[in-house]
Amino acid sequence: MTFQQHPAVEAAPLLEELMLFHPQLNTFCVLNRTASFLWTYLAEPCTAERLAEEICQGFEGITLTDALRDVRETLQLMSSLNLVMVASSSLTQEA
């Protein structure tokens, strides 16, 4: 499954974190450093597996298995908050 940022969500830097605002829902969310790292990659459609690989390259001391578990949990949470969405098949084929 491929995910991407919800197009309505706005992001603003906050030290090493990001503050997200979803204007349609009038909700804010602060992402920690790791979730902010993922958010950057989600500007384009991306799979959990690819995100986990990027985490392993960007952070020391994490295994691919642990990274994939954490990425899936983060994507599930972000999805439940309507911050990310499943990329449409046409976008996925172009990526």
Side-chain angles (χ1 to χ4, degrees):
M1 190 175 300
T2 304
F3 295 88
Q4 67 183 50
Q5 297 173 359
H6 190 291
V9 176
E10 301 170 14
L14 184 68
L15 300 176
E16 290 187 6
E17 301 174 336
L18 279 177
M19 179 176 286
L20 304 183
F21 175 63
H22 196 308
Q24 296 170 347
L25 301 176
N26 198 31
T27 56
F28 288 92
C29 182
V30 177
L31 302 182
N32 66 18
R33 183 173 164 230
T34 307
S36 297
F37 182 88
L38 295 177
W39 180 259
T40 302
Y41 282 94
L42 290 165
E44 299 291 328
C46 200
T47 64
E49 292 77 11
R50 164 108 192 283
L51 292 169
E53 291 169 2
E54 296 296 341
I55 288 284
C56 288
Q57 291 178 11
F59 296 86
E60 292 184 28
I62 185 164
T63 66
L64 185 57
T65 301
D66 289 342
L68 186 56
R69 182 195 65 235
D70 293 347
V71 165
R72 286 181 174 152
E73 289 175 7
T74 302
L75 287 172
Q76 182 178 13
L77 179 59
M78 288 177 149
S79 183
S80 72
L81 296 171
N82 294 308
L83 301 174
V84 299
M85 55 190 226
V86 174
S88 69
S89 58
S90 62
L91 290 175
T92 304
Q93 291 171 0
E94 294 173 17

